[in-house]
């Protein structure tokens, strides 16, 4: 039996870091939403009790380093399944981009195996398992739009934002999330108004959403990587209603509501950035 599962990317409309916790993680408060840029995860029954990762992308590990592998292994252990699976991952989300591609692949694997193996687990139960793999996995299990707190694993669902286009631009550099957090000076940054963002989304107020978008990690990444700052500036210059870095970067996204302006921003960015995408906000939760 084969099962195909979409694994959509996420963006952060608002990302704040409150303090460093005793366990070494940072306490965060952020608003995340899913977008229509997705990997394809295909799950196939395997003849032996093993987990096989199949990928045609040389940057995707095919062993226990892969988050989808970890998700399948953990789920097998939790529920005592003695079945094998082959997991084929077709990447459309850029790797190491701040868009939770690996976490979404892991979440899609959990949702898919729940169906393939007839486990009958709820999304809440799958999200709890996902939290042991990575901070973004629980959100990706649910999809939709949510406030994430704790280290990112505590999820409170909120309505979807109003419809808009999302333009993504990723420079050809890698950003170390650990290094960004290490260099974050919480006492001297402007913290975004996360609660205001939530209110704006509930009110479907697009202009207010654009005005309140903020990411505290920009204070580090934009200084460390001038290319990211340049893309952010160019995106606004070409006409995006707002431009913001997603996660710890390096991807910058812009929101645009009108098709005519979308083309101008997209074409402008294609002039000096190789990886540019124009997709829609999804913002709605996955079905069970």
């Amino acid at each position: 039996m084969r099962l195909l599962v979409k694994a959509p990317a996420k963006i952060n409309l608002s990302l704040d870091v409150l303090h460093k916790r005793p366990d070494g993680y940072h306490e965060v408060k952020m608003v995340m939403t899913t977008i229509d840029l997705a990997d394809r995860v295909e799950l196939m029954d395997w003849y032996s009790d093993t987990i096989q990762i199949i990928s045609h992308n040389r940057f995707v590990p095919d062993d226990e380093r892969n988050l989808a592998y970890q998700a399948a292994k953990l789920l097998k252990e939790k529920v005592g399944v003695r079945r094998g699976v082959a997991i084929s991952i077709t990447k459309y989300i850029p790797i190491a981009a701040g868009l939770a591609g690996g976490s979404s692949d892991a979440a899609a694997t959990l949702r898919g195996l729940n169906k393939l193996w007839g486990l009958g687990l709820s999304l809440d139960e799958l999200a709890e398992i996902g939290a042991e793999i990575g901070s973004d996995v629980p959100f990706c299990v649910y999809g939709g739009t949510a406030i994430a707190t704790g280290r990112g694993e505590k999820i409170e669902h909120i309505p979807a934002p109003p419809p808009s286009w999302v333009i993504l631009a990723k420079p050809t550099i890698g950003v170390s999330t650990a290094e960004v957090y290490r260099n974050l000076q919480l006492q001297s940054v402007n913290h975004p108004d996360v609660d205001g963002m939530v209110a704006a989304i509930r009110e479907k107020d697009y202009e207010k959403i654009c005005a309140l978008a903020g990411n505290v990690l920009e204070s580090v990444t934009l200084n460390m990587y001038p290319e990211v700052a340049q893309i952010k500036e160019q995106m606004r210059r070409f006409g995006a209603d707002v431009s913001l870095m997603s996660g710890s970067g390096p991807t910058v996204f812009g929101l645009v509501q009108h098709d005519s302006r979308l083309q101008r921003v997209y074409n402008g960015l294609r002039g000096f950035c190789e990886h540019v995408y124009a997709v829609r906000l999804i913002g709605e939760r996955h079905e069970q």
Side-chain angles (χ1 to χ4, degrees), residues 11 13-14 29-34 139 142-149 154-161 194 198 201 283 285:
I11 54 172
L13 294 172
S14 187
K29 185 175 184 180
M30 51 193 177
V31 176
M32 298 193 281
T33 192
T34 42
F139 169 77
Y142 296 111
T145 308
I147 308 162
T149 53
K154 296 176 184 173
I155 304 298
E156 179 188 338
H157 304 287
I158 58 175
V194 182
V198 172
I201 291 171
R285 286 178 65 179

Side-chain angles (χ1 to χ4, degrees), residues 81-185:
V81 170
R82 291 182 168 275
R83 290 171 65 177
V85 64
I87 305 169
S88 176
I89 301 171
T90 305
K91 293 296 293 182
Y92 295 98
I93 303 170
I95 293 166
L99 300 171
S103 296
S104 194
D105 294 344
T109 299
L110 290 173
R111 293 197 316 274
L113 289 179
N114 189 39
K115 287 183 180 175
L116 189 69
W117 291 340
L119 303 178
L121 298 175
S122 67
L123 288 182
D124 290 343
E125 290 169 310
L126 294 175
E128 198 174 319
I129 294 169
E132 296 184 36
I133 302 163
S135 301
D136 283 337
V137 178
F139 169 77
C140 294
V141 165
Y142 296 111
T145 308
I147 308 162
T149 53
R151 56 183 174 84
E153 84 287 5
K154 296 176 184 173
I155 304 298
E156 179 188 338
H157 304 287
I158 58 175
S164 79
W165 287 100
V166 182
I167 298 159
L168 304 157
K170 179 190 178 291
T172 51
I173 57 170
V175 169
S176 165
T177 300
E179 192 178 359
V180 170
Y181 273 97
R182 253 197 319 272
N183 287 294
L184 183 60
Q185 303 294 322

Side-chain angles (χ1 to χ4, degrees), residues 216-256:
V216 78
L217 299 180
E218 282 189 341
S219 64
V220 179
T221 305
L222 299 190
N223 284 326
M224 289 171 61
Y225 303 95
E227 306 97 311
V228 181
Q230 186 187 18
I231 288 174
K232 183 176 158 72
E233 186 182 320
Q234 293 290 350
M235 196 173 275
R236 285 308 302 268
R237 192 169 70 82
F238 289 130
D241 296 320
V242 64
S243 65
L244 191 71
M245 187 180 79
S246 188
S248 57
T251 301
V252 175
F253 71 88
L255 300 182
V256 177

